[in-house]
Amino acid sequence: MDALASLLYEVRSDGALFSRNLVAPPWSVRFADRTPLTLITMLRGTGWVVPGDAAPVALGGGDVAIVVGSEPFSVADCADVPTAPLYVLHGPDHCTTADGEEISDELVLGVRTCGNSLDGPTVLLTGSYQVGGRVSERLLSTLPRVLVVRHDGRPSPILDLTALEISRDDPGQQAVLDRLLDLLLLATLREWFTRPEADPPGWYRALGDPVAGKALRLIHDEPARPWTVTTLAEEAGVSRATLARRFSDLVGEPPMAYVTGWRLARAADLLARTEATAESIARQVGYRSAFGLSVAFKRVYGTRPSLHRAAAQGTSSESRAGAGADG
């Protein structure tokens, strides 16, 4: 598995908030659900992503944008957002006016569909969801606030299927939409990384290198192996000095620093999401004992594994309780 696949495997949708917006100018929609990742597509018409903390970004028909970060943002028909949005999206089944009142029935146009015109010139499709964990951070931290993949005229069967499924309310529909959003995210990021305007992270650029790329795949596939620069070099078929130089030049950090970062990110997520013992997790990610993992974990993250687990699982419980109360 390559580095991109490894990182995206951990960035998966679960209970995504989808919306289809049918609008006619003037219009704007405010996104205040504070999810770390939102995917936006202009199925028809044009618009602007206005993040507030960055410059507005234009969207054309068929363009796909990813907005990174939990700060609220708007999508509008112009770069100068109207004072009052048509509605504000706060979370699943929670949509209000700018004043905090529940939106009127006239703005609800169907399943997961809102807007001010059934036959409006603009159709905006959005999907946002929670992304958590240290592995996810290694991907999201490399992305700009707003990235856009411009439509190049080629067919997009994933997008077409998503547009069809979003208005359905069949059994298992949320799971279908979650997986479609995963596919859209993967396809969009993979395409964006190849564009001239993109600034892909070092590990992505290194994937095509026969030396550094092979080392990266080995590290991601087998974090528990007792890696050293020498063993990685042997697997890559080059000298220790060549591996160290190529890896550092392309990835941006020495091989063993990358090994440590990947192991600890995996450990952090396993601590947060599973009930496995610290000893078991330590061995899964390449440490001989829970003590060794704890020392490295405290040095890099500033806290002990047990405290990280308690904090992460406590936050998850609070989130579930809050969702239940809202429902």
Side-chain angles (χ1 to χ4, degrees):
M1 185 181 295
D2 63 44
L4 180 60
S6 297
L7 292 165
L8 284 171
Y9 184 76
E10 298 296 332
V11 184
R12 286 172 290 175
S13 172
D14 183 11
L17 169 61
F18 270 93
S19 68
R20 183 175 61 166
N21 307 270
L22 310 179
V23 288
W27 63 270
S28 73
V29 179
R30 185 73 170 161
F31 293 83
D33 53 346
R34 294 193 174 276
T35 50
L37 196 67
T38 304
L39 191 141
I40 300 166
T41 301
M42 299 299 298
L43 291 181
R44 187 172 72 227
T46 62
W48 292 78
V49 178
V50 187
D53 54 354
V57 179
L59 292 179
D63 291 351
V64 180
I66 293 175
V67 182
V68 179
S70 58
E71 288 302 308
F73 65 94
S74 298
V75 183
D77 65 326
C78 60
D80 297 323
V81 180
T83 302
L86 284 174
Y87 41 86
V88 182
L89 290 157
H90 298 278
D93 303 318
H94 187 199
C95 193
T96 72
T97 66
D99 296 328
E101 302 292 330
E102 294 298 318
I103 63 171
S104 61
D105 290 342
E106 65 184 24
L107 289 175
V108 179
L109 304 180
V111 177
R112 303 183 188 87
T113 303
C114 293
N116 62 0
S117 175
L118 273 171
D119 56 355
T122 303
V123 180
L124 173 70
L125 186 70
T126 69
S128 58
Y129 57 100
Q130 294 292 338
V131 178
R134 296 289 183 171
V135 170
S136 299
E137 286 179 8
R138 292 173 72 86
L139 172 63
L140 300 186
S141 64
T142 69
L143 303 177
R145 173 70 162 134
V146 182
L147 66 88
V148 179
V149 172
R150 304 293 178 190
H151 182 50
D152 58 7
R154 290 182 296 176
S156 178
I158 300 172
L159 189 56
D160 293 341
L161 182 58
T162 304
L164 176 65
E165 289 287 341
I166 198 170
S167 60
R168 298 176 63 178
D169 198 22
D170 298 336
Q173 196 65 26
Q174 185 63 56
V176 172
L177 291 172
D178 284 338
R179 298 292 74 77
L180 285 172
L181 185 58
D182 291 341
L183 287 171
L184 276 172
L185 176 64
L186 172 57
T188 302
L189 285 177
R190 186 173 60 180
E191 180 66 24
W192 183 76
F193 280 144
T194 67
R195 298 291 175 96
E197 67 271 21
D199 183 20
W203 51 259
Y204 185 85
R205 293 191 298 268
L207 290 175
D209 183 78
V211 175
K214 184 170 184 178
L216 275 170
R217 285 187 286 273
L218 288 166
I219 293 166
H220 279 250
D221 286 348
E222 303 178 73
R225 281 184 63 176
W227 293 117
T228 64
V229 176
T230 299
T231 56
L232 282 169
E234 289 173 351
E235 290 281 0
V238 296
S239 69
R240 186 178 184 277
T242 297
L243 184 280
R245 183 180 67 255
R246 291 273 283 277
F247 195 99
S248 297
D249 288 348
L250 291 170
V251 179
E253 62 181 322
M256 296 315 297
Y258 190 92
V259 169
T260 297
W262 179 243
R263 284 173 170 171
L264 293 179
R266 293 279 296 139
D269 287 0
L270 288 169
L271 286 163
R273 299 173 183 175
T274 75
E275 297 300 324
T277 65
E279 189 75 30
S280 170
I281 290 172
R283 295 187 182 280
Q284 286 184 60
V285 301
Y287 289 90
R288 294 182 178 179
S289 67
F291 177 76
L293 171 62
S294 182
V295 170
F297 204 92
K298 179 70 179 297
R299 183 179 69 251
V300 172
Y301 293 141
T303 188
R304 296 196 305 273
S306 59
L307 294 178
H308 171 79
R309 166 171 274 172
Q313 296 187 351
T315 300
S316 297
S317 298
E318 291 173 5
S319 298
R320 288 192 295 270
D326 290 340

